[in-house]
Amino acid sequence: MTQNSLFSKGMMATMLAQFFSAFGDNALFFAILAFIKNLHYPEWSQSVLQIGFVVPFILLSPFVGQFADSMSKGRVMMISNILKLLGAGSICLGINPFLGYILVGIGASAYSPAKYGILGELTTGDNLVKANGLIEASTIASILLGSVAGGYIADLNVTASLLACVLMFGCAVIANLFIPRLPAARSDIKWQFLSMLKDFIRTVKMLFINRQARFTLYGTSLFWGAGITLRFLLISWVPVVLGIVDNTTPTVLNAVVAVGIVVGAGLASKFISINNTLRCIPAGIMMGIVVIAFTLQSHMVSSYILLIMIGALGGFFLVPLNALIQKIGKEIIGAGSVIAVQNLSEYGAMMIMLGLYSLAVAAGVPIIAIGVGFGALFALVISLLWLGLKNNVKH
């Protein structure tokens, strides 16, 4: 198999590393939720926990992309997974769970530009969309299994669930050893704070001047902002609507969304090429509408169906946009640096939506009203962006 093959040694090792790493990320989230629930933290602390994970993505975004482009991306992924391993291990040793999760967030912030940036180095052309479909399928499979395992094991023993996360991050580090040493994307990076900051600002300007890149950043940012809100919406929705208070049920519902994303990612890889990526936009609009429909459900079977639809529409919407930004990034300045800008945009959106969600919960807004509001907002904003994009094309 050639290096450009979808099933080369490099691609298979990357998918395995991503599977174990994302499994640990998602299992750890639900393990820590169970841990702080046992310690009787208030409900709003759950979203604060996620904010602690997100903050490093925002603060480190000017540097992690250049870090990813300055050396072999497989090595960057290994360093990042070691940080995640240390963060999870510190919680097992009695360190404050919020601090441990912040360390995991630091590792994840460095991992993301390398994970997506390496795809453009391992494959090209339409295979890049397919590679994104494979990496998203690997990611979602790990979310599916990690979320369920994290909640289920936590119901049995919280300490065991934390230790399982440490094991997964260890497996990710081992998988990273089999990723080939690719040349650094850039050799001109100066390891000086002001120089790196200026370089990052220049990359931001270059991206936002590009019409398609600008829309892609808005689209993926809205997706992940809505996705993180949906995760907490499910955690709060289950006891309110279904009357179930365990840790397993919300993780199963999150896993159902993950199944849908695998389906959507596969369909996107089959029906959308690198030259017509913007055909995915209607799926994003429909996703917001289906979120509204789901929030109004009160039966488990219909909820499962709608959650699969939400995931499928989301996967179909997200995968082509990720491929497009990687292609643009590789052509402009280096995929790692561009994906770091994407991370700043996406995690900034997450911070805003998590903040709004936390304020709504603290103010006592009914969970159903929160879900309807976020679904409507997502569909409306994607529609407005699409109209603006079409108008720009006409002119």
Side-chain angles (χ1 to χ4, degrees):
M1 290 182 290
T2 64
Q3 183 65 20
N4 191 47
S5 168
L6 281 176
F7 299 101
S8 65
K9 175 185 174 182
M11 274 298 301
M12 295 303 293
T14 299
M15 284 192 291
L16 276 175
Q18 171 59 11
F19 175 84
F20 289 125
S21 188
F23 187 109
D25 287 344
N26 287 276
L28 183 63
F29 173 75
F30 288 103
I32 297 176
L33 279 186
F35 185 62
I36 64 176
K37 185 186 294 185
N38 287 350
L39 297 176
H40 305 292
Y41 280 78
E43 184 178 350
W44 53 261
S45 67
Q46 297 177 354
S47 52
V48 172
L49 175 71
Q50 188 70 69
I51 289 172
F53 180 84
V54 167
V55 165
F57 282 84
I58 297 172
L59 296 181
L60 298 178
S61 56
F63 314 107
V64 291
Q66 295 173 72
F67 177 60
D69 284 336
S70 69
M71 64 181 78
S72 171
K73 290 183 173 60
R75 184 181 176 191
V76 174
M77 292 168 70
M78 184 169 64
I79 293 170
S80 303
N81 278 320
I82 290 172
L83 288 174
K84 292 183 180 184
L85 176 65
L86 293 173
S90 68
I91 299 172
C92 294
L93 296 174
I95 303 296
N96 184 283
F98 290 89
L99 294 177
Y101 203 45
I102 288 173
L103 182 56
V104 175
I106 292 172
S109 68
Y111 183 83
S112 181
K115 172 188 70 176
Y116 285 112
I118 199 172
L119 298 182
E121 298 175 1
L122 291 172
T123 188
T124 57
D126 281 345
N127 272 351
L128 184 56
V129 177
K130 293 180 173 63
N132 271 273
L134 287 174
I135 205 72
E136 290 299 338
S138 175
T139 301
I140 301 309
S142 61
I143 292 173
L144 171 66
L145 296 173
S147 298
V148 173
Y152 178 75
I153 299 173
D155 276 337
L156 299 175
N157 187 290
V158 173
T159 302
S161 66
L162 293 171
L163 289 172
C165 299
V166 173
L167 176 63
M168 288 298 104
F169 290 135
C171 290
V173 172
I174 294 171
N176 288 141
L177 296 173
F178 294 92
I179 297 176
R181 282 288 185 94
L182 301 171
R186 296 177 60 187
S187 58
D188 62 337
I189 294 173
K190 298 178 181 178
W191 290 99
Q192 299 172 349
F193 177 81
L194 288 178
S195 174
M196 295 180 80
L197 189 60
K198 289 177 181 177
D199 190 273
F200 181 75
I201 293 171
R202 180 168 63 90
T203 304
V204 172
K205 289 179 178 178
M206 292 174 67
L207 281 177
F208 277 88
I209 288 172
N210 185 298
R211 176 176 52 82
Q212 283 194 335
R214 184 171 64 245
F215 173 83
T216 301
L217 288 172
Y218 290 149
T220 60
S221 299
L222 285 166
F223 172 86
W224 286 114
I228 201 72
T229 306
L230 180 62
R231 168 180 272 190
F232 285 98
L233 183 70
L234 286 174
I235 293 170
S236 300
W237 181 86
V238 167
V240 170
V241 177
L242 302 180
I244 301 172
V245 296
D246 63 10
N247 294 303
T248 303
T249 302
T251 63
V252 170
L253 293 177
N254 273 281
V256 169
V257 178
V259 170
I261 295 179
V262 172
V263 173
L267 291 173
S269 299
K270 184 173 179 63
F271 293 109
I272 296 184
S273 73
I274 198 67
N275 297 316
N276 62 11
T277 50
L278 297 182
R279 289 182 181 177
C280 69
I281 298 173
I285 297 170
M286 285 300 301
M287 176 184 157
I289 295 171
V290 179
V291 167
I292 297 173
F294 162 76
T295 307
L296 300 174
Q297 297 303 306
S298 59
H299 300 288
M300 189 67 82
V301 174
S302 59
S303 298
Y304 280 144
I305 294 170
L306 290 173
L307 286 173
I308 290 175
M309 289 178 62
I310 289 169
L313 291 166
F316 196 87
F317 176 70
L318 180 67
V319 166
L321 294 184
N322 275 339
L324 180 59
I325 198 66
Q326 290 160 25
K327 175 177 179 288
I328 294 170
K330 187 178 179 182
E331 293 170 351
I332 292 177
I333 197 168
S337 296
V338 171
I339 291 165
V341 176
Q342 185 182 17
N343 281 342
L344 175 64
S345 179
E346 290 176 358
Y347 285 91
M350 288 185 197
M351 281 285 289
I352 292 170
M353 291 198 180
L354 280 173
L356 291 173
Y357 177 84
S358 299
L359 288 173
V361 170
V365 178
I367 197 66
I368 293 176
I370 294 174
V372 170
F374 271 96
L377 179 64
F378 183 84
L380 175 62
V381 174
I382 292 293
S383 299
L384 292 175
L385 288 173
W386 191 24
L387 288 173
L389 188 66
K390 292 172 71 174
N391 288 336
N392 283 337
V393 171
K394 289 177 181 178
H395 292 94

